[in-house]
């Protein structure tokens, strides 16, 4: 009993909850944020779970380095999350960006 009275209880330091989106945003490059947002519109519950797990892997050191949009899209497709992205093809002509439609029609 005396030993238990002498022991002081040290409270564990509280860790603030980490925002998975902030952790992921540090390693997403290129169109990866756009791919993630588009996937979130189609699969909100699955993407939030995926974000938290990826954030845990990043914090633990199991995942590092930049993730490109192509890599993320391929990964999500392999997981069975099928969605389409908005794709715009633009052509630089005379210092201006024109849509492919404008280019083919010959509009200035």
């Amino acid at each position: 009993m005396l030993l238990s009275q002498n022991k002081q209880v040290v409270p564990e330091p509280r860790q603030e909850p980490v925002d998975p989106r902030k952790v992921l945003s540090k390693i997403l490059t290129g169109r990866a944020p756009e791919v993630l947002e588009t996937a979130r519109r189609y699969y909100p519950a699955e993407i939030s779970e995926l974000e938290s797990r990826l954030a845990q892997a990043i914090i633990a050191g199991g995942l590092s380095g930049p993730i490109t949009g192509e890599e993320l899209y391929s990964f999500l497709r392999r997981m069975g999350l099928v969605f389409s992205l908005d794709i715009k093809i633009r052509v630089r002509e005379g210092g201006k960006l024109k849509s492919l439609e404008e280019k083919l029609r010959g509009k200035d």
Side-chain angles (χ1 to χ4, degrees):
M1 232 163 102
L2 290 174
L3 289 175
S4 64
Q5 289 177 355
N6 287 337
K7 290 183 183 177
Q8 293 186 8
V9 177
V10 179
E12 294 181 16
R14 289 187 179 188
Q15 293 181 350
E16 294 182 22
V18 178
D19 184 17
R21 290 184 185 188
K22 288 182 181 179
V23 174
L24 277 178
S25 68
K26 294 177 183 177
I27 65 167
L28 297 179
T29 61
R31 293 187 67 187
E34 180 184 345
V35 170
L36 192 61
E37 288 303 316
T38 303
R40 183 177 286 114
R41 283 188 298 222
Y42 287 89
Y43 305 99
E46 291 84 353
I47 294 301
S48 66
E49 178 67 26
L50 178 69
E51 281 178 327
S52 64
R53 294 212 181 182
L54 287 175
Q56 290 173 357
I58 292 166
I59 292 170
L63 181 62
S64 64
I67 298 175
T68 64
E70 294 83 8
E71 292 169 337
L72 182 60
Y73 184 74
S74 174
F75 175 72
L76 294 173
R77 292 288 302 239
R78 281 184 275 149
M79 289 185 57
L81 303 178
V82 180
F83 58 95
S84 61
L85 294 170
D86 295 331
I87 299 174
K88 297 177 184 174
I89 300 174
R90 296 188 208 164
V91 178
R92 184 179 305 264
E93 185 177 277
K96 295 182 180 179
L97 285 177
K98 295 182 177 182
S99 70
L100 191 57
E101 179 184 1
E102 291 172 343
K103 174 69 176 168
L104 293 176
R105 287 186 181 176
K107 291 184 180 180
D108 289 332

